[in-house]
Amino acid sequence: MHSSSRRRLGAVALSTVVAVTGAACSSGSGSTDAKGSDSGTYTVWDPYPQFAKGSDWVKLLDACGAKAGVKIKRTGYDTSDLANKALLAAQQDNSADLLVVDNPVVSTLAEAGVLTSTEDNKLDTSKVDPNLLAAGQSDGKTYGTPIGANTLALYYNKKVLKEAGVDITSVKDWKSLTAALAKVKAAGKKGITFSAIGTEEGSFQFLPWFWGAGAKLTELDSAQAVSALSLWKDWLKQGYAPNSVINNTQTTSWQEFAGGDYAFAENGTWQLANAKKAGFEYGVLPVPGAGGGSAAAPTGGEFVTIPTQGDTGRYATSRKLATCLTSTQNLYDTDTTLSYVAPTSEVQTKQVAANAELKPWVEAVKAAKGRTSDDLGTTYPKISEQLWKAVQSALSGAKSPEDALTSAQAAVK
């Protein structure tokens, strides 16, 4: 690594990485294997410690290694742990050959000089949906390619809605959704649950409503932003959403919905397996925009990236490995395993043909947006922190939505 890159690394706070991880990914613990000295061995670090040796994911890594004529030394880390280790390894010029990282971390690592751009490493991203690729772009350059995406939508309990006399096809915007919640409450059931906790998870869950109002992360105090926070505040005031949302994680919010009394729950693709175990008929609806249509929800999921190496001769093989992992068939297999929506229209079509339940998720992903898009990069974590603080202040009653967002914008500036 060039000395200038090392200097940039020294300026990156590890807390920035921690702040943007964990909103939509699983976690666990991994080993701390370093890169082997054998030039025929390539190291891969990923955030999937739940996949042990013999799993489909590890088999795929080995198969791609064999195709490229090299051996793979793979380590699975906790999501935030992986990002921090990537920064430290780069400082020591000991980066992995391939990093699979949570998408909002890409811009942080890129700005720190950890990653090569696709312009430099020649990785082909032409088939990737532009809105998903944007999560890995910074200062006009692209760093890596998405291996899959997940996002948020509304799960709904068909029985609860039927008993309340709600036709799900009538729910097209905020007004009709709120009217549905009123009917559900009048029928003696519970309305909607979500996560508004004071962490990145809270921001992650608020963003579809924020963006669905037409708000921008660079203007937290806009009238559109106030309308989104007022919507949530009014739902709590009317009893359409429980006060527990203030402390709910996405997991505890799901547990509330799984109890069978709630009409709606905002959650992600990663709950599909749990939805099938819930014991009641459910459906999925993209989060509606304020005036209709699908709101942009934030994308979760990972990017396959190629870190900067002192030995630039390794890039060609690293590119072969990344290309193999994100080939059409391998994307289909991997994203099915991870409950992800593929990042290309070609594979998305194949997924829906195999499983019609994925159709609303594909629609949601096509409307989705990266949290660091709009060239926010490493400023996103600062904005997000103020956003979740504003949500907490408004929902707890400490401040009005307008005052909470005014304070948030002032703090960001």
Side-chain angles (χ1 to χ4, degrees):
M1 178 175 292
H2 300 299
S3 59
S4 60
S5 295
R6 286 202 182 96
R7 285 197 295 273
R8 290 201 302 274
L9 276 167
V12 176
L14 298 190
S15 59
T16 297
V17 176
V18 174
V20 298
T21 56
C25 300
S26 56
S27 63
S29 59
S31 63
T32 55
D33 294 339
K35 181 162 63 176
S37 58
D38 179 7
S39 61
T41 299
Y42 277 65
T43 56
V44 177
W45 291 358
D46 65 55
Y48 313 130
Q50 69 270 32
F51 296 132
K53 189 174 183 179
S55 64
D56 289 341
W57 169 247
V58 176
K59 287 178 181 177
L60 174 59
L61 291 174
D62 290 339
C64 286
K67 186 177 180 180
V70 297
K71 293 181 180 179
I72 299 297
K73 190 170 188 177
R74 174 260 179 176
T75 308
Y77 292 104
D78 170 84
T79 303
S80 57
D81 196 28
L82 170 60
N84 293 336
K85 280 185 166 56
L87 283 165
L88 293 172
Q91 286 179 318
Q92 301 162 0
D93 195 13
N94 191 34
S95 292
D97 292 290
L98 225 60
L99 276 176
V100 184
V101 294
D102 196 17
N103 74 65
V105 178
V106 174
S107 58
T108 298
L109 296 181
E111 190 170 308
V114 176
L115 306 178
T116 61
S117 70
T118 54
E119 182 181 343
D120 294 329
N121 60 43
K122 311 303 179 188
L123 188 61
D124 182 11
T125 60
S126 60
K127 291 184 178 180
V128 179
D129 287 355
N131 67 313
L132 300 181
L133 192 62
Q137 294 174 329
S138 180
D139 292 331
K141 293 185 177 182
T142 302
Y143 296 88
T145 186
I147 199 166
N150 53 29
T151 193
L152 296 166
L154 296 180
Y155 286 87
Y156 59 88
N157 185 318
K158 293 184 177 181
K159 183 180 178 182
V160 170
L161 291 181
K162 184 178 181 181
E163 291 178 352
V166 174
D167 179 358
I168 192 62
T169 63
S170 70
V171 179
K172 300 180 181 296
D173 52 23
W174 290 3
K175 184 178 180 180
S176 54
L177 175 57
T178 301
L181 295 176
K183 283 187 175 182
V184 169
K185 184 187 177 187
K189 293 292 185 179
K190 298 176 181 178
I192 186 168
T193 180
F194 48 87
S195 169
I197 194 171
T199 67
E200 175 61 20
E201 283 190 68
S203 292
F204 189 76
Q205 290 243 317
F206 182 59
L207 280 174
W209 311 96
F210 182 86
W211 284 332
K216 298 178 181 179
L217 286 170
T218 50
E219 298 176 49
L220 297 182
D221 56 350
S222 69
Q224 293 90 339
V226 172
S227 71
L229 188 48
S230 297
L231 178 74
W232 272 18
K233 175 67 176 177
D234 289 345
W235 283 351
L236 264 68
K237 184 179 179 181
Q238 297 296 331
Y240 300 157
N243 288 325
S244 59
V245 299
I246 296 173
N247 296 311
N248 267 349
T249 63
Q250 292 179 117
T251 299
T252 56
S253 170
W254 178 261
Q255 290 168 348
E256 287 180 337
F257 178 67
D261 291 329
Y262 280 89
F264 296 94
E266 181 185 1
N267 229 294
T269 43
W270 54 92
Q271 298 290 8
L272 277 171
N274 288 328
K276 292 175 182 177
K277 299 175 185 175
F280 53 79
E281 283 192 81
Y282 72 93
V284 178
L285 178 75
V287 175
S294 296
T299 56
E302 291 78 43
F303 266 60
V304 179
T305 64
I306 300 176
T308 303
Q309 300 286 348
D311 179 5
T312 58
R314 299 180 72 85
Y315 293 153
T317 298
S318 295
R319 182 175 66 249
K320 289 180 182 178
L321 294 172
T323 300
C324 176
L325 290 174
T326 56
S327 69
T328 297
Q329 185 58 50
N330 287 338
L331 277 179
Y332 177 77
D333 292 340
T334 299
D335 291 338
T336 299
T337 298
L338 296 173
S339 291
Y340 279 177
V341 171
T344 68
S345 294
E346 180 183 9
V347 183
Q348 290 167 2
T349 300
K350 191 174 180 180
Q351 287 182 302
V352 173
N355 181 4
E357 291 181 5
L358 288 176
K359 186 176 180 181
W361 291 108
V362 169
E363 291 175 8
V365 164
K366 282 189 174 296
K369 186 174 181 177
R371 284 164 275 174
T372 58
S373 296
D374 298 330
D375 218 22
L376 290 177
T378 53
T379 63
Y380 171 74
K382 302 167 190 174
I383 295 170
S384 176
E385 182 179 1
Q386 296 308 319
L387 188 60
W388 80 58
K389 285 182 176 178
V391 170
Q392 287 270 299
S393 292
L395 297 191
S396 67
K399 292 182 180 179
S400 69
E402 186 174 9
D403 287 346
L405 289 167
T406 298
S407 297
Q409 183 63 23
V412 170
K413 285 183 178 180

